[in-house]
């Protein structure tokens, strides 16, 4: 399984490098503040490897993946105590890595369906989004940590929904749903219960403290409900024909179940993207407006190639899609400029 | 304002030219040594490595501190850092030491951090960060932590954390002074 491959953290780091550069430009951190932040962030994986080595030397009484969680918790303390955004980002990455590796270790032996892995990820991202909003309300615009929480929460939730709304994502849900329910695993049941309680409690807290709007609260519950529905659903046959269980097999026809999930995911994704733009306008957050605009553009382009390429006569679709894009772009750009100029003033 | 911009650009140009010059000199010296390496005895090899490192650090310090040529001096110190790192791997190879690449990168990182602290140079701190990332990349390989001593890993984590802490404190003091 890919997540057990030690190359995975390196690939994650390489993929994270452009994000790090982007964050540098977004935050504009002064040089020495950035250097100290990066050294703190570097100490987390070193600490993780040190713990793994010590654990190995004493005969591995604990699984090595738990060392990643301990290192991640250590990182969260440092990040919050010294107010270091990159250290926080590294801690979040390490926690996600822990979940990926430990989750598979819990699921594999008992042949539990692996959709729960992504359910856990989505719960983490939503909690991150809620925490970001609560922190931002408490600390104001200068708090870089809340920006990290919001960035991770909004970006990763959108990317995950994007993936599952594609043909490849629908195939993945079908493949991952082949397995036993998580109830038979005590650690998984405990973790999911904690995550669900945390989302429920924190979102209500955020709403009461006016950090979350009613629309954000509803969106969070919608996404939680969607992924819980996937988790509790029995085995899903998404395409007609056995050969269509392989990913990126574009000529397969969707079954009724597959069509239903595809429609649901695409609608939820579309609402989520529009919601990002709307929240950006209401909260005067230019980052959400830009992120939402970018994903809306990607949504139209990717959906065309993913779902509609073979359905309509290409010339008609090109013309129609072109008009739609131009109109959407013109409207969005008009509204975006108007809002951004008000925010900058 | 335009005059200030021009001077700033000139400083950057000097810095870049000095760094490139240092890298070219380093490459020339290393290629000369490499072509004659196999015919040298072990004692001569160690002597060359240590001498080169000390010369680069020494001359770099002198040029930077006494002659106030900050960028040229920093370039020579950077060359000394490269020599130090190359020396670690060459000595391991010469004596057939059973160590992993991660060990070398961690030792290199620690040495670079010490020099970076001595001059409080952001450039050298960034170099040591890159070396730390390289070490982590090696550790993430299959069996990466098996060959690396626990003490070295702990030292790496302590050095990283302590460096972050020291820079953070110094940065806060500097910010308070400015205010």
């Amino acid at each position: 399984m890919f997540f057990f491959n030690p190359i995975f953290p390196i690939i994650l780091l390489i993929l994270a490098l452009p994000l790090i550069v982007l964050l540098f430009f977004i935050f504009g951190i002064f040089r020495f503040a950035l250097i100290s932040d990066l050294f703190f962030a570097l100490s987390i994986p070193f600490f993780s490897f040190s713990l793994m080595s010590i654990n190995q030397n004493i005969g591995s009484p604990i699984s090595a993946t738990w060392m990643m969680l301990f290192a991640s918790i250590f990182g969260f303390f440092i990040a919050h105590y010294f107010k270091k955004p990159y250290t926080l980002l590294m801690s979040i990455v390490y926690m996600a890595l822990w979940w990926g590796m430990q989750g598979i270790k819990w699921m594999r032996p008992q042949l539990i369906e692996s959709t729960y892995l992504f359910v856990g990820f989505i719960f983490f991202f939503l909690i991150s989004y809620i925490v970001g909003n609560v922190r931002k309300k408490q600390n104001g615009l200068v708090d870089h940590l809340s920006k990290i929480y919001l960035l991770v929460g909004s970006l990763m939730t959108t990317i995950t929904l994007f993936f599952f709304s594609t043909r490849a994502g629908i195939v993945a849900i079908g493949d991952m749903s082949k397995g036993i329910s998580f109830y038979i695993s005590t650690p998984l049941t405990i973790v999911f219960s904690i995550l669900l309680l945390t989302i429920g409690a924190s979102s209500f807290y955020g709403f009461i403290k006016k950090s979350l709007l009613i629309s954000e609260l509803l969106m969070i519950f919608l996404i939680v409900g969607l992924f819980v529905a996937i988790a509790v659903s029995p085995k899903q046959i998404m395409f007609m024909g056995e050969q269509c269980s392989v990913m990126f097999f574009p000529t397969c026809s969707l079954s009724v179940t597959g069509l239903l999930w595809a429609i649901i995911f695409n609608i939820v994704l579309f609402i989520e993207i529009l919601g990002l733009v709307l929240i950006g306008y209401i909260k005067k957050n230019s980052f959400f407006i830009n992120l939402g605009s970018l994903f809306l553009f990607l949504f139209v382009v990717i959906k065309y190639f993913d779902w509609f390429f073979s359905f309509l006569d290409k010339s008609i679709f090109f013309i129609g899609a072109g008009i739609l894009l131009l109109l959407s772009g013109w409207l969005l750009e008009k509204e975006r400029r108007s809002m951004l100029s008000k925010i900058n003033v | 304002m335009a005059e200030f911009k021009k001077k700033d650009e000139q400083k950057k140009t000097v810095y870049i030219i000095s760094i490139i010059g240092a890298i070219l000199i380093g490459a020339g010296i290393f290629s000369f040594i490499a072509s004659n390496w196999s015919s040298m005895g072990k004692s001569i090899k160690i002597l060359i490595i240590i001498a080169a490192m000390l010369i680069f650090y020494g001359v770099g310090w002198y040029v930077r501190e006494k002659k106030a040529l900050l960028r040229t001096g920093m370039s020579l110190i950077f060359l000394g850092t490269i020599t130090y790192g190359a020396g670690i791997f060459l000595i391991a190879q010469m004596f057939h030491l059973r160590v992993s690449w991660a060990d070398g990168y961690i030792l290199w990182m620690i040495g670079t951090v010490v020099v970076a602290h001595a001059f409080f140079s952001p450039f050298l701190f960034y170099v040591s960060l890159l070396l730390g990332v390289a070490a982590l990349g090696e550790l993430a390989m299959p069996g990466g932590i098996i060959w690396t001593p626990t003490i070295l890993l702990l030292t790496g984590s302590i050095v990283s954390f302590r460096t972050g802490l020291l820079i953070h404190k110094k940065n806060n003091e500097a910010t308070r002074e400015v205010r």
Side-chain angles (χ1 to χ4, degrees), chain B residues 45-93:
Chain B
K45 286 176 184 176
I46 293 169
L47 203 65
I48 288 172
I49 291 164
I50 295 172
M53 187 183 73
L54 290 174
I55 288 168
F56 284 132
Y57 278 143
V59 174
W61 170 83
Y62 180 79
V63 165
R64 190 177 192 271
E65 298 298 319
K66 300 295 179 188
K67 296 292 179 186
L69 296 168
L70 300 176
R71 283 150 192 86
T72 310
M74 213 60 241
S75 311
L76 289 166
I77 291 164
F78 172 57
L79 211 47
T81 307
I82 295 175
T83 315
Y84 165 70
I88 292 170
F89 292 105
L90 285 168
I91 288 171
Q93 187 199 40

Side-chain angles (χ1 to χ4, degrees), chain A residues 5-7 9-10 13 24 30-40 42-43 45-47 49-54 56-57 74 78 82-84 90 94, chain B residues 106 109 113 120-122 125-126 128-129 132-133 135-142 145-146 148-150 153-154 156-157 159-161 163-165 167-168 171:
Chain A
N5 192 327
I7 298 291
I10 301 167
L13 191 68
F24 175 71
F30 293 115
R31 246 183 346 187
F32 284 109
L34 173 64
I35 292 171
S36 77
D37 193 359
L38 291 175
F39 269 106
F40 279 134
L42 191 72
S43 70
F46 266 119
F47 184 56
F49 283 123
S50 305
L51 289 176
M52 283 182 195
S53 185
I54 293 168
Q56 200 172 265
N57 290 342
F74 167 71
I78 300 172
F82 294 105
K83 309 270 185 291
K84 298 295 181 187
M90 180 65 87
Y94 250 73
Chain B
I106 293 171
M109 179 191 81
V113 161
F120 215 68
S121 158
F125 280 127
Y126 281 122
S128 54
L129 280 165
V133 170
L136 291 173
E138 291 297 328
L139 287 168
M141 293 288 176
I145 60 168
I146 294 172
T148 306
T150 310
L153 291 168
L154 276 169
S157 48
V159 164
S160 314
F161 179 77
T163 307
L165 186 63
I167 298 172
H168 172 77
N171 190 45

Side-chain angles (χ1 to χ4, degrees), chain A residues 276-293:
Chain A
L276 269 178
V277 178
L278 180 72
I279 287 160
Y281 286 161
I282 295 169
K283 292 189 173 182
K284 296 183 176 50
N285 188 327
S286 54
F287 174 74
F288 277 162
I289 297 171
N290 290 328
L291 186 71
S293 305

Side-chain angles (χ1 to χ4, degrees), chain A residues 234-274:
Chain A
K235 180 184 167 184
Q236 305 291 296
I237 298 165
M238 300 300 195
F239 289 88
M240 293 194 277
E242 272 306 309
Q243 67 275 18
C244 291
S245 63
V246 179
M247 274 177 138
F248 304 114
F249 206 82
T251 58
C252 290
S253 305
L254 282 170
S255 64
V256 174
T257 313
L259 187 65
L260 187 65
W261 280 116
I263 290 169
I264 291 170
F265 263 107
N266 279 280
I267 289 172
V268 171
L269 175 63
F270 188 66
I271 294 169
E272 195 260 346
I273 291 171
L274 283 183

Side-chain angles (χ1 to χ4, degrees), chain A residues 302-315:
Chain A
I302 291 170
K303 292 310 148 191
Y304 162 62
F305 284 106
D306 193 29
W307 294 111
F308 299 110
F309 197 68
S310 54
F311 285 5
L312 296 174
D313 181 69
K314 287 173 184 44
S315 55

Side-chain angles (χ1 to χ4, degrees), chain A residues 4 45 56 70 103 129 151 232 235 239 243 297:
Chain A
F4 274 131
Q56 200 172 265
F70 298 149
Y129 181 79
L151 177 75
V232 300
K235 180 184 167 184
F239 289 88
Q243 67 275 18
F297 171 73

